[in-house]
């Protein structure tokens, strides 16, 4: 039976997808100790030599949407990098022994992490979130390069702007 690991499934679109899953584990991607507990427990569930077929890194925050290019705070940017980049990197690192030929890692990004797309948004918005998602895209490139020889595929996906608690009422997707 395939093993799916999904972070960030406590709200939004992914919550609806995982309601029927058997193992629901807590993982706060802002906390390295939580990630360590999560990956150890997930490793126990899939078995020492078990394979994670799909790792969907959906966890993320957009806590300071009001921060723009000229009012970024170290706390705001640091929190976003910690959760949206480092946390997801550590989840992949913690499950690396279970990523084998045919495994897929999908890091959920945003169009706001795209430099070319952000250039079309007038005025630009969500600077700290955008910066963290651009960094996640670069992390994905590095993960893909390092895991390629193992036959692991690592990609970024932008699910679109959804009407969730994070996307808000102005979002275009239901």
């Amino acid at each position: 039976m395939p093993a799916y690991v999904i972070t960030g499934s406590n709200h939004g679109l992914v919550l609806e997808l995982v309601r029927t899953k058997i193992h629901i584990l807590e993982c706060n991607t802002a906390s390295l100790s939580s990630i360590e507990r999560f990956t150890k427990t997930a490793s126990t569930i899939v078995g020492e030599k078990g394979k994670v077929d799909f790792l969907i890194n959906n966890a993320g925050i957009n806590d300071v949407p009001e921060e723009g290019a000229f009012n970024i705070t170290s706390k705001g940017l640091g929190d976003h990098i910690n959760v949206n980049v480092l946390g997801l990197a550590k989840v992949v690192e913690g499950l690396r022994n279970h990523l084998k030929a045919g495994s897929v890692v999908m890091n959920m990004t945003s169009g706001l992490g795209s430099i070319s797309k952000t250039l079309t948004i007038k005025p630009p918005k969500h600077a700290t979130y955008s910066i963290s998602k651009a960094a996640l895209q670069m992390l994905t490139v590095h993960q893909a390069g390092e895991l390629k020889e193992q036959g692991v595929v690592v990609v970024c996906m932008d699910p679109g702007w959804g009407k969730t608690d994070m996307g808000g009422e102005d979002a275009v997707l239901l």
Side-chain angles (χ1 to χ4, degrees), residues 26-45:
E26 183 178 341
C27 180
N28 176 355
T29 58
S31 165
L32 295 178
S33 61
S34 177
I35 294 167
E36 186 177 331
R37 282 190 306 276
F38 168 76
T39 57
K40 282 183 179 178
T41 303
S43 293
T44 300
I45 291 169

Side-chain angles (χ1 to χ4, degrees), residues 25-97:
L25 308 175
E26 183 178 341
C27 180
N28 176 355
T29 58
S31 165
L32 295 178
S33 61
S34 177
I35 294 167
E36 186 177 331
R37 282 190 306 276
F38 168 76
T39 57
K40 282 183 179 178
T41 303
S43 293
T44 300
I45 291 169
V46 299
E48 184 180 329
K49 296 188 188 279
K51 176 182 175 184
V52 170
D53 297 281
F54 298 95
L55 169 53
I56 303 172
N57 266 324
N58 185 60
I61 60 169
N62 185 9
D63 283 354
V64 286
E66 69 280 0
E67 286 190 5
F70 300 110
N71 67 337
I72 292 174
T73 64
S74 17
K75 178 169 180 8
L77 184 57
D79 288 350
H80 281 75
I81 293 295
N82 192 41
V83 173
N84 296 353
V85 185
L86 181 62
L88 305 186
K90 291 300 187 180
V91 169
V92 174
E93 181 182 319
L95 294 174
R96 187 172 182 178
N97 291 338

Side-chain angles (χ1 to χ4, degrees), residues 102-113:
S103 291
V104 175
V105 176
M106 183 183 303
N107 292 325
M108 298 301 260
T109 188
S110 167
L112 291 174

